[in-house]
Amino acid sequence: MSDQSRSMSRYEQSSAQPTSRKAVLKFVTAGTIGAALLVLSGLTLTGTVIALIVATPILVLCSPVLVPAAMVVFLVSSGFFFSGGCGLAAIMVLLWTYSYATGKHPPGADRLDYATRKIAEKAREYGQYAQQKAQEATQTS
């Protein structure tokens, strides 16, 4: 055997042995991290429960003020978000109309053209129908 083939076989043997060590090391690392995170979540839960126990009497005493204040804040912020959304929608509609009027082909323009043709077609049909009825009415009277 050449030196190269011997070094390959040594590498293959050395890489096969530590896989169990690597697996154990991965397991220990994952277990340590998992345990630490479990302890932190327990501490967070404990702190939250203690804070709730301490804050409950204060919230009960202040609730005649806090509940209406929270409702006002919610309604005002909802109004601002709604008006901002309506303003944004209006700007988008104006931009779409501008691009349609300048000859560009914005999304949905083909559907608008189709609907316009159908409405014009129906309007012509009803116009002809109205003319026929008007002629019939003038001829019979």
Side-chain angles (χ1 to χ4, degrees), residues 27-41:
F27 179 74
V28 169
T29 304
T32 305
I33 292 172
L37 290 175
L38 187 63
V39 168
L40 286 175
S41 68

Side-chain angles (χ1 to χ4, degrees), residues 73-115:
V73 167
F74 173 74
L75 290 174
V76 167
S77 60
S78 297
F80 278 126
F81 282 125
F82 182 73
S83 66
C86 288
L88 182 65
I91 289 171
M92 295 305 294
V93 166
L94 288 173
L95 286 173
W96 188 93
T97 306
Y98 175 75
S99 63
Y100 182 76
T102 56
K104 296 175 184 156
H105 193 73
D110 51 350
R111 287 186 279 173
L112 179 66
D113 293 337
Y114 175 75

Side-chain angles (χ1 to χ4, degrees), residues 8 10-11 30 43 45-46 48 55 104 108 112 126 138:
M8 284 295 264
R10 285 181 196 156
Y11 174 74
L43 289 174
L45 178 66
T46 305
T48 303
K104 296 175 184 156
L112 179 66
Y126 285 128
T138 56

Side-chain angles (χ1 to χ4, degrees), residues 5-92:
S5 64
R6 274 188 241 149
S7 66
M8 284 295 264
S9 63
R10 285 181 196 156
Y11 174 74
E12 290 170 357
Q13 289 173 356
S14 66
S15 67
Q17 290 174 351
T19 55
S20 61
R21 289 181 186 164
K22 288 180 184 178
V24 169
L25 184 63
K26 287 180 183 178
F27 179 74
V28 169
T29 304
T32 305
I33 292 172
L37 290 175
L38 187 63
V39 168
L40 286 175
S41 68
L43 289 174
T44 304
L45 178 66
T46 305
T48 303
V49 169
I50 290 172
L52 184 62
I53 290 170
V54 169
T56 298
I58 297 168
L59 290 174
V60 169
L61 291 174
C62 297
S63 66
V65 174
L66 293 177
V67 171
M71 288 172 33
V72 167
V73 167
F74 173 74
L75 290 174
V76 167
S77 60
S78 297
F80 278 126
F81 282 125
F82 182 73
S83 66
C86 288
L88 182 65
I91 289 171
M92 295 305 294

